[in-house]
Amino acid sequence: MTSLDKSLLDEFESIVGASHALHEDELVASYSTDWTGRFKGSTPLVLRPGTTEEVAQILRVASDANVALVPQGGNTGLVGGSVPLRGEVVLSLLRLNVCEPVDVLAQQVSLGAGVTLAQAQNHVSPFNLAIGVDLAARDSCTIGGMIATNAGGINVVRYGPMRDQLLGVEAVTADGSSISHLEGLEKDNTGYHLPGLFAGSEGSLAVITKARLRLHPQLDERCSAMLAFKSVGDAVSATAQLRRSVPDLHAVEVIFREAMDLVSDYISTSIPVRSDGSAWLIVEAASSSDPTDQLAQAIGDLGDLVLDVAVGHDSTSRAGLWQFREKITEAIATRGTPHKLDVTLPASELAEFVSRIPEIISEVDRRATAVMFGHLGDGNVHVNVLGDDGLEPDNEVESAVLGYVAQLGGSISAEHGIGTAKKEFLHLNRSGQEIAIFRAIKSSFDPKGILSPNTLIPAEEQ
Ligand code: FAD
Ligand code: 2HG
Ligand code: ZN
C-alpha cells in the first residue's frame, strides 16, 4: 500500500462513508490493474462517491493537499489510463448510476457517469430509442469513461463517436468547482464547447459526473452478412462500395487472417464462409423496415470481388456471425498480454499497411505475431502484437508500427485514446505547438496537475 496521511484518509473517508473508502489490498486490487493486465499500479485508497457533491468535496480536499487522483469507470480502457500507476487515489464513479427519465420529445437522456452502456441501452430502448455508440465492453464500460476516451465502436460509420452524441455535461474540475450544462439544446453557439473538449480528455481536465446524450431511433429490422475476400485490397474496395450503396449501413467490421483463426478456435466454431481468404467483413444494415433487399443487392453488385457470403436475418443467426468479431479481444487475452495498437489509416494506404505489418514487427521482434481486425468503415485497424509463448513483445514494436502509421498519414490512436501507453508517441501526430496548447488547457482546468497525471500529456523535456 502506498502511504497517505492518516488524517487525510479520515477526511476522505468521512465524505463517502467507511464502506465506500476501500484500502485493504484485496479490495483495491481490481481497481489497480487494467483490463489487459499490462498496466499494474497500486493505490492507498479507492473512493466511491455517490453524488456529484461528494465528488466536489473529494476534489477540494485533494486539491488542498496536493493529492493526485485517477478517475475510473468500468476499467475497460485499453491504454493504461484508468489505473493508479504512481500511487494515486482512485476515484471510482460507478455509484453515479442514475438514469434520468427519457426525454422523448427532445430524443435525449441525462445519465450518471457510472451508468454502464448496457444499462443505458436498456433504459432507452422501451421508448424505441437507442444510444449511438455500441461496443463489446457494453456490460462494464460507463458513460463517463466512454466520454473521457471518446469511444468509437461498431456504429461510428453511421452515428460518429461519443463526442457526436454529447449535448452537455456536468463535471467537477480539479479545485472542486462544478460545471453543469445539461439543457440539451441542439443549437447553442455560446462560446467554447466544453463537452467536446472533455470528450477524449481521458480524465485529465475534469471528472465527468453526468451527461446529456442525443438518442437515435431504435432500428429493430436488421440484416447482417459475413463476406470473405481474397485480398485486403478487395475488402477495402468493397467497403467503399457498400458505404456508397447501402443507405441503412450500420456497421462494416473487418477480421484479418490471424484474428479469424484465433477467434474461430476460441469460440470452437468453424468459419461460416470460405476459410481460404485473407480478410472477412461483417456488414450490418439496420432500418425500421427490413433492409435485407438493399444489402443483398449491394453485395450482389460487388460481383467477383467477394469469394463467399453468409447472411444472418434473425437475431440468432446474426449473433452467430457477430461472435467472430466481438470475441476477438477475449480470444487474444487467452494467448498472452498483447501490446494494443489502435490506428487509423487513409483508405488509400490500408491494404499496404496491413500487408507490411507482419514484416515490420518481425524486424523488431522475430517471435512476435500481429493479430489484426477493426472497424474498416472508419479506416480503423486494431493491431494486437503478441510476444512469443505468452510473453509481451519487444517494446520497440510500438515505435516501429506507430512510426509507420504516421509516415502514411494515419492516426496513432483511433478510438482508445493515448493513456499512458501512447504518450511518448503523441509527437508523431501532434506538433510541439499543439502539445503546448494541450498543456495550457490542462493547467487552466487543473493547475496543480492532480487529475490523471499519467495520461495523455507527455512530460516536458528537461
Ligand atoms: P475506464 O477504463 O474506467 O477509463 C478510461 C479513461 O477514462 C481513463 O483515462 C479514466 O481516467 C477516464 N475516466 C473514466 N471515467 C471518467 C469520468 N467519469 N470522468 C473523467 N474521466 C473518466 N473502445 C472503443 O472505443 N471501441 C470499441 O469497440 C471498444 N471495444 C472494447 C471491447 C472490449 C472487450 C474491451 C475490454 C474494451 C473495448 N474498448 C473499446 C475500450 C473501452 O471499453 C473504452 O475505452 C471505454 O470507453 C472505457 O470506458 P470505462 O468506463 O471502462 O473507462
Ligand atoms: C474492438 O473494436 C475494441 O473490439 C478492442 O476496440 C480492440 O482488442 C482490441 O484491440
Ligand atoms: Zn475497436
Side-chain angles (χ1 to χ4, degrees), residues 53-307:
E53 181 45 34
E54 287 182 6
V55 174
Q57 284 180 36
I58 291 168
L59 286 175
R60 269 177 233 132
V61 172
S63 172
D64 286 348
N66 251 318
V67 172
L69 298 126
V70 174
Q72 188 181 94
N75 198 14
T76 66
L78 300 173
V79 288
S82 53
V83 286
L85 294 176
R86 297 206 185 136
E88 295 84 3
V89 168
V90 173
L91 187 62
S92 167
L93 284 316
L94 289 175
R95 288 180 64 228
L96 300 186
N97 58 0
V98 173
C99 297
E100 293 189 3
V102 175
D103 182 342
V104 178
L105 213 52
Q107 302 203 7
Q108 298 173 3
V109 69
S110 294
L111 301 167
V115 170
T116 65
L117 173 57
Q119 283 164 351
Q121 289 169 332
N122 292 335
H123 179 62
V124 303
S125 87
F127 302 90
N128 284 324
L129 291 165
I131 309 281
V133 169
D134 191 16
L135 48 100
R138 58 183 75 79
D139 290 328
S140 308
C141 69
T142 63
I143 297 299
M146 291 169 68
I147 295 168
T149 57
N150 189 27
I154 55 184
N155 300 137
V156 171
V157 73
R158 189 159 206 178
Y159 299 131
M162 204 58 189
R163 184 178 282 128
D164 293 351
Q165 321 307 318
L166 205 52
L167 287 158
V169 290
E170 176 191 86
V172 182
T173 54
D175 65 356
S177 318
S178 298
I179 306 168
S180 180
H181 203 81
L182 294 167
E183 294 76 13
L185 303 175
E186 283 284 354
K187 300 186 90 175
D188 182 11
N189 273 352
T190 51
Y192 302 128
H193 191 249
L194 297 179
L197 189 57
F198 293 155
S201 65
E202 303 186 44
S204 66
L205 300 183
V207 178
I208 297 154
T209 49
K210 200 191 275 192
R212 182 86 175 167
L213 299 187
R214 174 179 290 125
L215 300 173
H216 303 273
Q218 177 158 287
L219 303 170
D220 287 331
E221 298 290 329
R222 289 180 186 228
C223 181
S224 309
M226 183 185 281
L227 282 59
F229 294 90
K230 186 165 76 276
S231 70
V232 176
D234 285 354
V236 172
S237 304
T239 299
Q241 215 169 305
L242 292 167
R243 290 186 64 188
R244 284 196 302 274
S245 61
V246 182
D248 290 314
L249 193 64
H250 208 64
V252 185
E253 299 285 301
V254 71
I255 308 170
F256 298 111
R257 181 82 255 173
E258 276 76 14
M260 187 53 120
D261 290 340
L262 183 59
V263 74
S264 164
D265 188 42
Y266 176 68
I267 60 178
S268 308
T269 312
S270 49
I271 307 168
V273 289
R274 264 177 67 171
S275 58
D276 57 343
S278 309
W280 292 262
L281 290 183
I282 297 198
V283 181
E284 183 161 284
S287 175
S288 49
S289 57
D290 188 357
T292 305
D293 287 349
Q294 57 168 284
L295 189 58
Q297 169 83 46
I299 292 172
D301 290 347
L302 295 175
D304 291 345
L305 215 47
V306 190
L307 289 178

